Amino acid sequence: MSDIRNIVVLTGAGISAESGVPTFRGPDGLWEGQRVEDVATPEAYARNPDLVLDFYDQRRAKLGTVEPNPAHEALGRLDREWSGELLIVTQNVDDLHERGGARRLLHMHGELKSGWCMACGDRFPFSGKMANRPACLSCGEQGKVRPDIVWFGEMPYKMDRIDAALATCDLFVSIGTSGAVYPAAGFVQTARYSGAHTLEMNLDPSEGSIFFHESRMGKAGELVPLWVEGLLG
Ligand code: APR
């Protein structure tokens, strides 16, 4: 482990669970009792924009009521103190990594606090309600702002940078993700193929658990600070 320089960390909904942000799958998950096709596809948005905008408006509003937990804080510490390469890739659309101090961070599935104008193509920070059909902050066009979220069937963001980091990492760490959604679910195999050590931290084994060299089962808020302490300490 002493020859580790380049680290890629992948996070999923499980890292925010202890902050009170619901995960997607499993009991009480966001997809429990809700069809993904109704709220998280471009087709759903075209068919029933009010339903889709309201779904994301509610999740955006919820961010004002939650705080980063020790797992986010530990990754913030890692970002500050790790002198080698680091890329934290999150599938999460919340802002808890930023608020936990992470800077070398990519949101591959977009961000709740970002709007995307379908008229001019610009993206900009957004904190209100899209159901109110706000005007674009760049071009002023009314009613063309959609959530800057990667829906099913759309291409995740920043894949070139992510692939480049995976190709050169010595350590790949996956935290709080079920491994049900590609391409993120395939990162472990890409990293392994590049010769990286692979570590999973999750409440229970993910769908891709067998691909990891090492699995630690438990709560992210407990496991991640211990891991970071071990790495930096
Ligand atoms: N600590 C660690 N892991 C946890 C915790 C916790 N406190 N609580 C839950 N988990 C684990 C669950 O066991 C599960 O394996 O986190 C995982 C969450 O899985 P999902 O709900 O499927 O979330 P995620 O993997 O991020 O989903 C991927 O699917 O719907 C899309 O775009 C959405 O980005 C999302 C993608």
Side-chain angles (χ1 to χ4, degrees), residues 45 53 114-126 130 133-149 157:
Y45 182 56
L53 295 177
S114 176
W116 181 14
C117 176
M118 292 294 89
C120 70
D122 274 6
R123 293 177 163 87
F124 44 82
F126 185 87
M130 289 190 188
R133 299 295 197 278
C136 168
L137 294 186
S138 291
C139 72
E141 181 97 9
Q142 196 91 29
K144 289 286 167 61
V145 180
R146 64 161 265 188
D148 190 7
I149 300 283
Y157 297 154

Side-chain angles (χ1 to χ4, degrees), residues 9-93:
V9 177
L10 171 70
T11 69
I15 198 168
S16 296
E18 289 157 71
S19 294
V21 180
T23 61
F24 293 95
R25 295 168 183 82
D28 302 328
L30 272 178
W31 297 152
E32 186 71 16
Q34 174 112 257
R35 279 163 24 103
V36 174
E37 301 80 12
D38 288 340
V39 288
T41 61
E43 292 78 14
Y45 182 56
R47 202 167 45 235
N48 192 345
D50 286 326
L51 180 78
V52 174
L53 295 177
D54 184 56
F55 176 71
Y56 289 99
D57 281 348
Q58 286 185 35
R59 291 176 60 197
R60 191 179 308 107
K62 169 106 180 154
L63 294 185
T65 70
V66 298
E67 296 294 335
N69 67 55
H72 300 106
E73 308 277 4
L75 291 183
R77 178 185 169 205
L78 180 68
D79 196 339
R80 280 190 304 279
E81 298 182 20
W82 183 251
S83 57
E85 294 288 317
L86 172 70
L87 184 63
I88 300 167
V89 180
T90 187
Q91 300 169 88
N92 299 344
V93 294

Side-chain angles (χ1 to χ4, degrees), residues 12-14 18 23-25 31 91 109 176-178 181 202-204 220:
E18 289 157 71
T23 61
F24 293 95
R25 295 168 183 82
W31 297 152
Q91 300 169 88
H109 289 168
T177 177
S178 61
V181 174
N202 212 43
L203 205 52
D204 23 57

